[in-house]
Amino acid sequence: MWRSIASSVVCVVLASACRGTEYDLVIEGGRVMDPESGLDAVMNVGVRDGRIEAVTEDAIAGTRTIDASGLVVTAGFIDLHEHAQNELAYALTAADGVTSTFELEVGTNDVATWYADREGGQIVNYGVSIGHVPVRMAVMGDPGDFLPSGAGGYGVASDAHVAEMANRIEEGLMQGAVAVGFGTAYTPAATMAEVETMFLIAADHGAAAHIHTRGGLSGLAETIETAARANVALHIVHANSSGGARTAEFLQIIGRAQDDGQDVTTEAYPYGAGMTEIASALFDSWEAWTDERFNTHQWVETGERLTRETFGRYRAGGGLVITHSRTEEMTLAAIASPLTMIASDGFMQNGRGHPRTSGTYSKVLGRYVREQGVIDLMDALRRMSLEPARRLEARVPSMGRKGRLQVGADADITIFDSETVRDRSTYMDATITSEGIEYVLVNGVRVIDGGELVAGAKPGLPIRANPNP
Ligand SMILES: [Zn+2]
C-alpha cells in the first residue's frame, strides 16, 4: 500500500518517474468477464511481464493500449483436445480465441521428443499426454501412423506387453506429460483389466485419464466403474460423438457419477460430423453397410462424398474421413448441457481438416450463445477456460494461473465482439478463420491484433507437469 501512495506522490513531482506504475499493456474499457469470481463489469486491465497486474475501474497507463470498448475481455480459451499441434493449427485456433491447446486423447508415445520438437516458442501454449494408444501401437508393432490399423488395435497383449506399456506410460509421466490418454474405441483388443493397469499408474501421478470410450452407454458405465476402482480422475472426450443419439443419457450417467462424488468430467464440440482415420477400428463393419451409408462419409483430402467402391479403396491406403452422422438435436443436447467443457477435437493434415479445428469456440459464442440463447455467455466462458484449467490443476498446478481474468493470472486474454463473433470454416475449407475475435494475448503478447494474426509472434510456452512435485 505505502508503495503505491509513494509512487503516486513521485508522479506528481516528476512525470518520468511514473514508469513504475506504467504497464506493458492496458486493455481499456472492455466488459471484463471472469467466470470464477463472477466479475462482469466495465474495467481496465493492466498487463506486465506476462501477468495480469491490475483489474480496476481506475484509469491506468500503459506503453501500449487496446481500446476494448464494446468488447468482451476474458481469459483465453483452453482446448483440452486438439490433435493438430502444428503452426497452421496454432494460428487457426488462436484466431478462434484459444491461448492453450493440448493433445490429450491420443497423446504421444515420446513425451520428451514431443516437447523438444516445439521448443523456441509457438503461437499458443501447448501440452501433451502420454497416450495408451500410441504406446500400445509401439509395443505391439502397429503399422499405422496416428491410430492403430493392426496389432495396436487388434492384438491381444501378453503380460509382458502390458508390463512394457505400463513402463512406457510411467516414463512419459516422469517426462512431464500432463495426463494419460486412452481410446478404447480404437483398441478393441485392449481389455478393461489392461486399461485399469494404466489407470492405476495415472492415479499414482495425479494425472487424469482422458478417454475416447467404446461401447456406447454400457461402455461408458464400465469405464466409470473401472476408474472408480483405480481412483483415477476421468475425462470423457466428446460426449456428443460418443453419445450420438443417446447423448442425453450419456451425460446423465456422467452426472450421476459426479453426484456420487467421483471425479469425472466431459467435453463436446459443436458439429454434427465427426472425423477420424478411415483405416481405424471405428469402421470395421463397413462391408456390411447399406449403399446409402457411404454417402454420409466425406474424404477430407478432396471433399468428395464416398461410395462403397471409393470407401474401400481409401480404407486400404488410409487417411482422414469426415462422417456426417448426427442431427442438430444431438449436438444441441451436448452443447446446452452445463456438464460439457468445450473442446475442439481439431485435426489438420496438409492444410485439410475438420472445421471444428478453427471454428469451435466462435461457433458456440455466435450460434448457441447469441443466436439461439441456449447458453448464457458467462457459462460458455466457464466451460471454455475455467473448467479446462481446473481439469489439469491437480497434475499441473500452474494451470491455476490460467482460465481466469484476475490479478496474478497469466496474461492469456481473449477480446471479442459478442455481437459479431461467428465461425466461418467449412467442411470444404477448414482454414477459414473465425470473425469477431479481435485481440488474443498469449503470455501478455498479442498474437491476434485487430482480428489479424501477428506475423512471427510466438509467445506460447510448453505446459508440462513437474515429474517430482
Ligand atoms: Zn479426438
Side-chain angles (χ1 to χ4, degrees):
M1 181 53 131
W2 71 268
R3 200 180 131 201
S4 67
I5 293 168
S7 61
S8 59
V9 170
V10 173
C11 284
V12 174
V13 179
L14 184 66
S16 64
C18 297
R19 276 284 140 79
T21 58
E22 192 169 271
Y23 297 96
D24 298 339
L25 178 74
V26 167
I27 303 162
E28 214 167 53
R31 177 185 176 189
V32 176
M33 298 185 73
D34 175 52
E36 188 170 64
S37 62
L39 174 67
D40 180 358
V42 173
M43 293 276 196
N44 302 314
V45 176
V47 170
R48 185 160 37 203
D49 297 333
R51 295 280 176 95
I52 297 171
E53 288 202 353
V55 180
T56 177
E57 288 178 324
D58 297 342
I60 50 177
T63 310
R64 305 180 73 175
T65 301
I66 290 174
D67 175 8
S69 48
L71 303 176
V72 172
V73 179
T74 194
F77 309 142
I78 298 170
D79 188 354
L80 297 182
H81 191 155
E82 165 62 276
H83 301 292
Q85 295 281 330
N86 54 51
E87 189 163 337
L88 172 61
Y90 290 155
L92 293 171
T93 202
D96 201 31
V98 172
T99 53
S100 297
T101 170
F102 295 87
E103 155 61 293
L104 302 184
E105 175 209 32
V106 175
T108 178
N109 67 4
D110 185 348
V111 171
T113 300
W114 193 92
Y115 281 106
D117 283 348
R118 290 164 180 77
E119 255 171 33
Q122 297 293 331
I123 296 169
V124 294
N125 304 310
Y126 53 92
V128 76
S129 68
I130 178 74
H132 175 245
V133 173
V135 163
R136 197 174 202 279
M137 288 169 72
V139 169
M140 304 295 288
D142 191 282
D145 59 355
F146 173 55
L147 290 170
S149 56
Y154 307 98
V156 176
S158 67
D159 288 352
H161 286 138
V162 172
E164 177 60 18
M165 289 179 218
N167 279 340
R168 292 189 188 206
I169 286 177
E170 179 105 49
E171 189 186 359
L173 287 162
M174 295 306 290
Q175 291 171 352
V178 305
V180 182
F182 295 87
T184 48
Y186 295 113
T187 55
T191 63
M192 287 312 284
E194 176 183 324
V195 170
E196 188 170 343
T197 302
M198 310 307 152
F199 277 2
L200 285 164
I201 298 166
D204 253 5
H205 290 262
H210 290 240
I211 186 166
H212 178 165
T213 56
R214 66 183 172 214
L217 300 181
S218 60
L220 171 67
E222 189 184 16
T223 304
I224 289 174
E225 283 162 26
T226 307
R229 274 199 304 278
N231 199 22
V232 72
L234 186 66
H235 182 79
I236 309 288
V237 304
H238 49 51
N240 55 313
S241 66
S242 291
R246 309 186 74 178
T247 294
E249 293 156 89
F250 195 90
L251 290 168
Q252 276 166 15
I253 292 171
I254 294 169
R256 273 202 297 275
Q258 288 181 349
D259 292 344
D260 291 345
Q262 193 173 341
D263 184 358
V264 186
T265 54
T266 190
E267 58 172 57
Y269 61 84
Y271 291 84
M275 184 175 76
T276 195
E277 167 57 57
I278 196 168
S280 80
L282 300 195
F283 304 115
D284 280 355
S285 65
W286 72 277
E287 280 162 306
W289 291 358
T290 61
D291 286 342
E292 300 81 74
R293 185 160 168 193
F294 292 98
N295 190 49
T296 63
H297 294 72
Q298 188 175 12
W299 188 239
V300 169
E301 204 175 308
T302 59
E304 76 192 272
R305 294 291 183 130
L306 299 183
T307 62
R308 183 178 299 280
E309 190 270 319
T310 51
F311 191 98
R313 180 148 44 88
Y314 289 138
R315 182 167 159 94
L320 292 175
V321 67
I322 286 171
T323 310
H324 296 271
S325 50
R326 295 182 299 276
T327 63
E328 178 60 19
E329 196 184 359
M330 296 176 203
T331 302
L332 195 56
I335 298 300
S337 166
L339 291 186
T340 56
M341 300 176 199
I342 305 303
S344 73
D345 195 8
F347 197 21
M348 297 287 291
Q349 213 168 50
N350 307 321
R352 307 278 306 172
H354 191 296
R356 65 194 181 194
T357 314
S358 38
T360 286
Y361 294 85
S362 49
K363 186 170 182 182
V364 170
L365 294 171
R367 179 181 292 207
Y368 297 104
V369 174
R370 182 182 63 245
E371 290 173 12
Q372 297 188 10
V374 292
I375 321 173
D376 167 59
L377 177 56
M378 187 68 95
D379 199 51
L381 300 178
R382 174 183 69 83
R383 292 158 53 194
M384 292 174 174
S385 54
L386 179 63
E387 298 298 342
R390 284 179 171 163
R391 173 69 291 172
L392 300 180
E393 276 173 41
R395 170 86 179 145
V396 187
S398 65
M399 290 304 292
R401 295 196 312 268
K402 297 195 184 293
R404 282 94 169 163
L405 199 303
Q406 296 170 12
V407 170
D410 293 340
D412 293 344
I413 300 174
T414 290
I415 303 172
F416 65 94
D417 186 339
S418 62
E419 296 302 315
T420 63
V421 63
R422 68 181 181 106
D423 63 299
R424 294 186 298 188
S425 65
T426 70
Y427 289 106
M428 292 302 290
D429 187 354
T431 66
I432 308 172
T433 54
S434 296
E435 189 177 305
I437 307 282
E438 300 297 334
Y439 301 93
V440 177
L441 311 185
V442 174
N443 297 308
V445 176
R446 282 183 240 208
V447 297
I448 300 292
D449 190 346
E452 300 293 328
L453 186 71
V454 178
K458 293 189 173 176
L461 297 171
I463 297 173
R464 215 166 162 161
N466 180 351
N468 304 302

